[in-house]
Amino acid sequence: MACLAAACVASACAVGAGGPEASTGAGCPSRGTEMPLEALFGTWEARIDGQKGVALVKLSQHPDYAGVRGTIARGGDGAAATVAQAAGDIDDEGMLSLDESLDGRAISGVWLGELQASSCGKEWNGIWRDAASDSTHPFVLNKIGNSGTDR
């Protein structure tokens, strides 16, 4: 009987502390600091204010450090197609930081974004800076595929 009473008290405490409601997002990061780097691997759609169309961002493990490396493909909507190289990581404050380069040497764009808490690790919003004009533009990055299962 004492064990049953203890179990009931423990159960009530869990519900009172946000039990079932808190567990609906179990395993979903709400901040970038909670997100494993591997969750960045795969294919993302990027929409940048002031740019036509959608860019496809493909990221995988960087071979030289604990970060990501990949490509950013733009064009196809009447604009010239380009493919930039990208590299970056999630910094200590939980911000996604990506550098992109059109020629493999000079930085042509910089991305700095924050994970959207309700997205379960599938959306980042932030600012993209065009290095050529030093102009800044809001962006939204949405996950559309995982490495190995990309479409």
Side-chain angles (χ1 to χ4, degrees):
M1 188 70 162
C3 289
L4 181 58
C8 288
V9 169
S11 175
C13 288
V15 171
E21 292 79 18
S23 66
T24 59
C28 286
S30 61
R31 300 181 34 177
T33 54
E34 300 168 357
M35 191 161 163
L37 184 67
E38 294 79 13
L40 292 177
F41 301 171
T43 304
W44 300 77
E45 284 184 341
R47 298 182 193 294
I48 301 172
D49 282 3
Q51 289 190 356
K52 285 184 173 180
V54 175
L56 280 182
V57 179
K58 293 188 177 191
L59 300 173
S60 59
Q61 175 68 51
H62 195 290
D64 300 326
Y65 69 90
V68 294
R69 182 168 77 176
T71 59
I72 303 168
R74 295 181 174 92
D77 295 335
T82 62
V83 178
Q85 296 175 33
D89 59 16
I90 299 172
D91 69 19
D92 292 340
E93 284 80 41
M95 300 293 286
L96 172 65
S97 176
L98 291 174
D99 292 337
E100 72 174 272
S101 175
L102 288 168
D103 65 7
R105 294 182 303 275
I107 293 175
S108 56
V110 177
W111 304 64
L112 187 62
E114 183 174 15
L115 181 66
Q116 299 307 291
S118 62
S119 74
C120 199
K122 298 190 184 299
E123 182 176 313
W124 296 82
N125 292 359
I127 299 293
W128 175 77
R129 183 178 62 81
D130 182 343
S133 66
D134 206 29
S135 60
T136 58
H137 308 271
F139 76 82
V140 177
L141 194 62
N142 288 294
K143 185 88 174 256
I144 60 171
N146 294 319
S147 65
T149 60
D150 288 347
R151 48 179 177 155

